[in-house]
Amino acid sequence: MTSSELLPIVGFAAVLAVTPGPDTLLSLRYGLLGRRAGVAAATGTSLALFAWAALAGTGVAATLRASPTLYESLKVVGGAYLAYLGVRTLHDARASTPAVTPRPDGDGDLSARDTLTRRGTRTGRAFMTGVLTCLTNPKTGLFFVALLPQLAPPHASVGFIVLGLGGVVALVVYAYLLLVAVSADAVQRHPSAPRLTKALETISGVALLGIGLVTGASAAVQLLTT
């Protein structure tokens, strides 16, 4: 892949990464719970991008673009899942104590969390949440369907599309989400910022809930009127 072929892919990947959306909110939300959780959420999201790249490379994802019913159905599922994440985030923010004592390893006071008290459970849940959130986001799928075929060299193999183009996109998105997660972790570890941490968790929960409700409701209306 030449530099002239690589630069447009990096540019589109950067736009996908910095556009506010569920993936960014997720890395922020879990980063506030600890560095490991934030990194796990970012990792899950980035790995799921390879699945979208594979679907685009094999032509399966084109069905999503060609079928309004399938597309809107996926939006309903994705919206419901985001709404669930929003409610859970708000519950965790409300249950957490305002004074969080930082730990040397940067994971915060685990006893101050509700259902994510065990490091392994929290990290595994963050990873799977990142995967599921990305896979149920049809806009990410449409990004790959619309752009990857145009950016791929002529007669590119599926393997090149998945590992080459998909890998570049995943790497750029991963770098951005890691920055978000590490920044959130730095906030929650600061001894003078426990209330700011709780406020950011609440904002993340409201945003996830709002995006989920709007996405799911609009898709449901489209399904009922078609």
Side-chain angles (χ1 to χ4, degrees):
M1 186 184 299
T2 65
S3 58
S4 60
E5 294 172 332
L6 181 61
L7 286 178
I9 300 172
V10 174
F12 283 121
V15 172
L16 177 65
V18 302
T19 301
D23 298 334
T24 302
L25 290 172
L26 211 62
S27 294
L28 173 64
R29 179 258 194 277
Y30 278 105
L32 291 171
L33 295 177
R35 186 184 301 119
R36 287 181 177 86
V39 170
T43 302
T45 296
S46 301
L47 288 179
L49 292 176
F50 283 100
W52 278 117
L55 292 175
T58 57
V60 174
T63 306
L64 178 66
R65 189 180 187 183
S67 174
T69 300
L70 181 60
Y71 177 70
E72 298 299 336
S73 297
L74 184 58
K75 285 179 65 176
V76 170
V77 174
Y81 186 62
L82 289 178
Y84 161 73
L85 291 179
V87 171
R88 197 175 73 190
T89 299
L90 290 173
H91 177 268
D92 290 342
R94 184 177 182 182
S96 63
T97 59
V100 178
T101 303
R103 295 167 68 109
D105 62 2
D107 270 341
D109 184 2
L110 300 184
S111 62
R113 304 300 176 185
D114 184 35
T115 59
L116 304 177
T117 55
R118 293 184 179 276
R119 184 182 302 170
T121 301
R122 183 178 61 187
T123 302
R125 181 177 295 174
F127 176 82
M128 288 307 303
T129 301
V131 170
L132 292 174
T133 300
C134 183
L135 290 180
T136 55
N137 187 353
K139 291 183 179 180
T140 302
L142 289 180
F143 171 88
F144 279 92
V145 172
L147 294 180
L148 280 195
Q150 298 181 30
L151 297 175
H155 310 296
S157 65
V158 174
F160 177 81
I161 293 177
V162 176
L163 299 178
L165 303 187
V168 171
V169 174
L171 184 62
V172 173
V173 172
Y174 191 41
Y176 174 73
L177 294 181
L178 282 180
L179 177 62
V180 173
V182 172
S183 299
D185 172 68
V187 170
Q188 68 89 18
R189 282 196 295 153
H190 199 283
S192 63
R195 288 181 175 80
L196 176 59
T197 299
K198 190 169 184 176
L200 287 174
E201 283 189 277
T202 302
I203 293 172
S204 298
V206 171
L208 286 169
L209 179 60
I211 293 174
L213 291 177
V214 171
T215 300
S218 62
V221 170
Q222 288 294 327
L223 286 173
L224 292 174
T225 56
T226 55

